[in-house]
Amino acid sequence: MARQKGIIKLKGTIGDITFYKTQDGHLAREKGGIDASRIKNDPAFQRTRENGSEFGRAGKAGKILRTALRAVLINSADGRMVSRLTQQMVKVIQADVISVRGLRNVIDGEAELLSGFEFNIRGKLGTSLFAPFVGTIDRVAGNITVDLAPFIPTNMIAPPSGSTHFKIISAGTEIDFEAETFVVTNSETAILPWDAVPTVVITQTNPVTPASTKPLFLALGVEFYQEVNGQMYSLKNGAYNPLALVQVSGL
């Protein structure tokens, strides 16, 4: 893979060279590879087919999770989040010690490996929110809860430059990766000033199905705002809003 230089940037294919644009700039690569029918049928590529099957399963699982969290994720994701989440889902699937290779899946894997996943590497929860919080998943009652004791925003929140306000957001979701369905509840505080006045206790309870046997997830995040002439504007279109999975119960 080569990087294009010069004033004129090419796109498309010339001879055996393909020119294309990515987040890393304008690149070029030589056409090649193995015929698709050979990969599909040749016994020598059995491992390749198994890896491809599990990678595809990881991609679908990541998409379901992203869809379930869309309401809180839409303003809190970086451009590489999809690929990073897929890579982590692959690790979840590879932790399946029950199924044979190629048929490993999220349900029999370790969904808890997703705990701590940051959806926005430009604004991580761990470097934005320093107020202690407690995340709880009560599977029997079907309640996915986060609690924050009163805190002083200027001491416990590190916002991007220009922020004047913020709000705490969360989501609790129950996901059936096999049926590709989900149950989700979202919560948010009012827009709060980033000042030295302590907040009240913040408790957000996101109910899902009681006694569920599906994987459960708690996402927690912060959205930043700037007040201009009495109006609130999402700061930099949410580019630095953090959101992370803080509790996961795979069962």
Side-chain angles (χ1 to χ4, degrees), residues 34 36 38-40 42-56 101-102:
I34 301 168
R38 184 182 175 193
I39 294 177
K40 185 177 180 180
D42 192 331
F45 291 94
Q46 178 65 25
R47 298 285 86 83
T48 301
R49 291 193 292 272
E50 292 169 352
N51 291 339
S53 175
E54 293 184 351
F55 185 81
R101 181 171 174 150

Side-chain angles (χ1 to χ4, degrees), residues 24 48 55 69 89 141 143 145 161 163 165 204 224 231 243-244:
D24 297 317
T48 301
F55 185 81
L69 297 175
M89 279 293 187
N143 289 326
T145 306
S161 178
S163 298
H165 290 73
Q204 296 181 347
F224 295 109
Q231 296 294 318
L243 183 75

